Amino acid sequence: MDNQELSAQYDEAGFGGRVGFGEKPAVLVIDFAKAWLDPTSPLGSDLSKPLAETVRILDEARAKDVPVFFTTMAFEPDMSDCGEHVARKKRHTSIQVKGTEWVELDPQLKRRPNEVLINKPRASSFYATNLLSLLVSHRVDTLIITGCSTSGCVRATAQTSHDHNFRTIIPRQAVGDRSASAHEASLFDMNARMADVVDVDEVLEYLRGL
């Protein structure tokens, strides 16, 4: 089936309902660091457009004092905190070393001192981190997720966000992937199963109206 046919089948089956925006949002920016943004990196690609769209969202979120969180993924130089089989499966983790430029956030994000940077050990930003506790502390009901990669960490985080019963929002132009096909397939699947995939302009309009 093509996506149009599949959408019709999913709709008939009861997938793809809309959760909409709530009253207490937060923005989560996933892994916009050099290892993912620099095409010379083993896992990098040109994500300049999703990065620029994320900056637009951050500008509006900060203007409304919306909580902002960032993630990166970094391990000890000897990978002792990564895990043998994870390091074996994803050999690129060898460059994701704590304290190196590869795991530092892109300066265009202009992270502020009160914006928490979470070092996550796995794809989901919730796994073995304090993200859930922080969202509860801020009484968040809506999680707006940007960053990369759409088919990996964004999708894994969206699934966990949905499982924790947050309204999960994916601005389509503010997430990216090194694979165009994986990106599109993941947007389709997230929209059907776990999140509202919307245009960035819809997110901006919502934030301005808070």
Side-chain angles (χ1 to χ4, degrees):
M1 294 184 182
D2 60 26
N3 278 358
Q4 186 174 358
E5 293 173 314
L6 193 57
S7 290
Q9 184 193 61
Y10 273 24
D11 183 63
E12 185 176 348
F15 288 93
R18 311 313 287 166
V19 299
F21 296 95
E23 298 179 355
K24 294 285 288 184
V27 176
L28 176 65
V29 182
I30 298 178
D31 295 353
F32 267 165
K34 185 175 180 179
W36 295 269
L37 296 173
D38 188 335
T40 67
S41 163
L43 65 160
S45 57
D46 180 9
L47 299 179
S48 54
K49 290 182 180 179
L51 176 61
E53 293 299 316
T54 292
V55 169
R56 293 179 68 206
I57 291 172
L58 290 175
D59 287 344
E60 294 295 339
R62 288 164 176 157
K64 295 293 186 174
D65 293 323
V66 169
V68 173
F69 303 93
F70 295 92
T71 73
T72 189
M73 185 182 288
F75 303 99
E76 297 294 338
D78 63 358
M79 294 290 123
S80 58
D81 57 340
C82 180
E84 175 186 1
H85 301 300
V86 172
R88 182 178 297 168
K89 188 67 178 179
K90 296 189 281 286
R91 298 188 303 277
H92 59 254
T93 53
S94 62
I95 73 162
Q96 293 169 234
V97 175
K98 293 176 181 177
T100 66
E101 63 178 353
W102 291 108
V103 296
E104 292 180 359
L105 297 180
D106 190 282
Q108 294 179 69
L109 298 169
K110 297 179 181 178
R111 175 180 164 244
R112 296 179 175 183
N114 67 328
E115 296 172 347
V116 176
L117 172 60
I118 296 168
N119 185 42
K120 62 182 179 62
R122 296 293 184 265
S124 174
S125 302
F126 289 89
Y127 183 89
T129 76
N130 63 342
L131 177 59
L132 177 59
S133 177
L134 292 170
L135 297 178
V136 170
S137 176
H138 285 280
R139 296 178 173 81
V140 168
D141 63 10
T142 302
L143 190 59
I144 300 166
I145 302 173
T146 77
C148 65
S149 297
T150 315
S151 61
C153 298
V154 171
R155 182 193 166 103
T157 300
Q159 180 67 69
T160 316
S161 174
H162 172 71
D163 291 342
H164 284 305
N165 214 30
F166 292 104
R167 297 170 184 259
T168 306
I169 308 295
I170 309 293
R172 69 176 78 248
Q173 298 92 344
V175 295
D177 199 294
R178 64 191 63 85
S179 166
S181 60
H183 172 76
E184 291 298 332
S186 296
L187 288 178
F188 180 90
D189 206 42
M190 285 190 291
N191 192 57
R193 297 172 183 272
M194 64 195 76
D196 287 1
V197 177
V198 302
D199 286 339
V200 165
D201 285 344
E202 186 174 340
V203 173
L204 297 178
E205 182 180 0
Y206 160 68
L207 292 173
R208 290 172 186 141
L210 291 173

